[in-house]
Amino acid sequence: MLGFFRVTPIHEFASYAHWRHQFMQRRLRLGILFGLFYFVTFLPLDTLTYLTDGHDPFVLLWIITNLARMALLLLCLWLIRKQNYRPRQIIAVFLLASWSISLLHRFHETYTGLATNTPIAEPDLFSWALSFITQATLVPVSWPLHLISQLGVIVYYFGVNSLLGLQVVTPGLPAASLLLNTFWICCICNCSVYFYEKLSRANFATNRQLLEAQEKSERLLLNILPRPIAEQLKQGPDIIAESFAEVTVLFADIVNFTQLTETQPAANIVDLLNQVFSRFDQLAESHGLEKIKTIGDAYMVAAGLPQPQANHAAAVAAMAVKMQETLAEFNAQTNQNISLRIGIHTGPVVAGVIGLKKFAYDLWGDTVNTASRMESHGIPNGIQISEATYQRLQACDDRYQFRQRGPIVIKGKGRMVTYLLEPCATDVDIDQAVTQS
């Protein structure tokens, strides 16, 4: 039964109506089961009374009435369990369950009064109050449905019994008192359901807004930090730092960007960078790389962190090639003439998050400096890689060809042997070259 009290996360529901429908299904099932348990507990007692009181036919009728109630409640339970349950069926199931509990009792009173040729028994306001309040508490469907359920009982009691000639008001209970008690029983139940509905709707809207704000914050955090780092940061304010024995770092820089800013409006420059770097962001995600940051017109990504990656050098090389191809497509589409320098190096780094405000995931170490030098000492539209990256690509990847460049003087590093990485010509490229010639 604990499953009936299970709270389903709000984000699983597309709307309040959807959540309300699922909630009412569970609460209807709970209310029906309570009704079944109620009648089952009284059944042995009623049976014993029937057997010990000389087989009173009216006691037998009461037992049959309760068995009919239980059968109708089981039918309601079956309807709720049906596949492809429709929201409108809640109305029929609720009224059937409600009247099987409250109205069948009135049928029994009517039959008893007719069979004994005596006025109907004094109306049992206690059972009415218990029935209506229990339904309003366990199954708070919309208040008009509760009103219909209550009116069905009241109209039957006063209308049908009066038409059959049965007395509906006893001398000990004035009509005004009976009507006033009935009114307040119904009023309290329906007002409770009405205010519960308002509170429930407001609570759903508030929780939805909080959830959307939380999801938005989560997306913003994941745009700043890798997911594992973001999870660590949410656990506590401890320093986040980790050493990686080997990763591959890529720097890319737009050639002559400073001169470009002097000839273009600021809005155009920002829009241009946004378009280019947005394309690079998509490439980084598709190749499984971690974007580290942008600095002006420089773009930095890395592979092999924060999660280790066996083919980090190959992943970065593949992205570098796609970056050059993507920029060429961008130039053709926008009539620009932008060129890119790319530098790549492989080695150990330290990674972590520093600062209290505007924090970011960053890398430190000679590997980062060397990758930056590979870019700054590179050539336009070229991909310059270090000896370390060359050794890893040359040993396991035949998709590229390498042209040795150097040794060249690298600022802060001295003379270094570097390589220019180019994709190998495919059969399609060769056929196109032959056709063009």
Side-chain angles (χ1 to χ4, degrees):
M1 186 173 290
L2 292 177
F4 300 122
F5 300 98
R6 178 178 61 87
V7 178
T8 306
I10 288 178
H11 66 265
E12 295 184 10
F13 299 101
S15 64
Y16 173 78
H18 184 206
W19 173 84
R20 179 76 169 161
H21 167 62
Q22 296 292 330
F23 174 75
M24 279 303 128
Q25 276 188 295
R26 293 197 301 273
R27 296 308 288 270
L28 262 175
R29 192 181 296 117
L30 178 64
I32 291 169
L33 285 175
F34 267 115
L36 281 170
F37 292 150
Y38 175 85
F39 294 126
V40 166
T41 57
F42 278 96
L43 192 60
L45 182 62
D46 294 335
T47 304
L48 181 63
T49 301
Y50 173 72
L51 295 175
T52 57
D53 285 0
H55 296 80
D56 186 341
F58 294 106
V59 176
L60 178 60
L61 176 62
W62 179 246
I63 294 174
I64 295 173
T65 301
N66 284 340
L67 288 174
R69 285 168 157 176
M70 293 168 62
L72 288 174
L73 291 177
L74 287 172
L75 174 62
C76 292
L77 201 60
W78 177 78
L79 288 173
I80 292 176
R81 292 178 181 272
K82 282 183 64 178
Q83 298 292 327
N84 301 323
Y85 187 80
R86 298 177 182 176
R88 290 185 179 180
Q89 283 184 284
I90 286 182
I91 299 174
V93 173
F94 171 76
L95 291 178
L96 180 60
S98 173
W99 283 334
S100 67
I101 294 172
S102 56
L103 199 54
L104 280 181
H105 193 177
R106 311 282 82 77
F107 290 165
H108 178 269
E109 291 174 347
T110 299
Y111 180 82
T112 302
L114 291 173
T116 59
N117 197 27
T118 59
I120 194 169
E122 180 178 329
D124 188 357
L125 289 177
F126 174 77
S127 73
W128 287 15
L130 178 64
S131 164
F132 294 157
I133 292 175
T134 301
Q135 291 176 39
T137 304
L138 292 179
V139 194
V141 295
S142 59
W143 70 268
L145 272 184
H146 281 275
L147 181 61
I148 292 172
S149 169
Q150 296 155 4
L151 287 176
V153 177
I154 295 168
V155 168
Y156 174 83
Y157 181 82
F158 288 99
V160 175
N161 287 330
S162 297
L163 290 174
L164 294 175
L166 298 172
Q167 183 176 344
V168 295
V169 180
T170 61
L173 186 67
S177 178
L178 174 61
L179 291 173
L180 194 58
N181 274 280
T182 304
F183 167 78
W184 278 113
I185 290 171
C186 297
C187 183
I188 290 171
C189 292
N190 294 338
C191 285
S192 299
V193 172
Y194 171 76
F195 287 116
Y196 175 86
E197 171 70 13
K198 289 195 67 175
L199 179 63
S200 180
R201 187 181 294 274
N203 183 61
F204 181 90
T206 301
N207 287 336
R208 172 67 74 177
Q209 291 173 359
L210 290 174
L211 180 63
E212 290 174 351
Q214 182 180 357
E215 291 176 345
K216 185 177 180 180
S217 299
E218 185 78 11
R219 288 194 301 269
L220 289 173
L221 187 60
L222 293 178
N223 281 335
I224 299 172
L225 301 172
R227 182 177 293 276
I229 304 302
E231 294 298 330
Q232 291 182 47
L233 193 63
K234 287 190 290 186
Q235 297 302 319
D238 297 336
I239 295 176
I240 299 176
E242 189 174 1
S243 295
F244 295 89
E246 186 175 276
V247 302
T248 299
V249 180
L250 176 151
F251 273 91
D253 188 80
I254 297 177
V255 179
N256 296 326
F257 184 77
T258 302
Q259 291 84 340
L260 186 65
T261 60
E262 296 173 353
T263 60
Q264 296 280 346
N268 291 357
I269 295 298
V270 173
D271 180 62
L272 184 147
L273 281 177
N274 180 61
Q275 292 188 58
V276 173
F277 286 173
S278 294
R279 286 168 167 79
F280 291 170
D281 287 346
Q282 294 172 353
L283 291 177
E285 184 174 357
S286 64
H287 285 81
L289 274 62
E290 190 66 46
K291 176 185 175 182
I292 305 301
K293 59 185 174 182
T294 59
I295 307 172
D297 61 320
Y299 190 90
M300 178 185 177
V301 293
L305 54 77
Q307 300 293 341
Q309 184 177 353
N311 62 339
H312 52 83
V316 172
M319 175 163 175
V321 172
K322 290 299 295 182
M323 289 173 73
Q324 295 288 18
E325 293 175 356
T326 300
L327 189 62
E329 294 172 359
F330 175 79
N331 285 334
Q333 294 170 359
T334 60
N335 198 29
Q336 298 284 345
N337 188 26
I338 303 172
S339 57
L340 199 67
R341 282 193 309 265
I342 297 177
I344 304 173
H345 179 55
T346 301
V349 298
V350 173
V353 178
I354 59 173
L356 298 176
K357 295 181 179 180
K358 297 183 180 179
F359 47 78
Y361 185 67
D362 209 347
L363 309 182
W364 300 272
D366 185 66
T367 297
V368 178
N369 296 332
T370 302
S372 177
R373 295 290 183 263
M374 290 297 101
E375 177 273 313
S376 61
H377 291 71
I379 61 175
N381 297 319
I383 304 171
Q384 182 164 249
I385 65 175
S386 66
E387 179 77 25
T389 305
Y390 166 76
Q391 294 295 339
R392 285 152 186 79
L393 291 175
Q394 191 265 344
C396 63
D397 204 323
D398 57 359
R399 292 176 297 172
Y400 309 109
Q401 58 186 2
F402 307 94
R403 287 194 293 116
Q404 183 174 328
R405 182 177 182 237
I408 61 175
V409 178
I410 302 296
K411 182 180 179 182
K413 302 294 294 183
R415 299 178 68 83
M416 292 183 64
V417 175
T418 65
Y419 297 83
L420 294 177
L421 179 148
E422 299 173 354
C424 292
T426 63
D427 294 337
V428 175
D429 295 331
I430 295 173
D431 291 341
Q432 290 177 348
V434 171
T435 302
Q436 291 175 355
S437 62

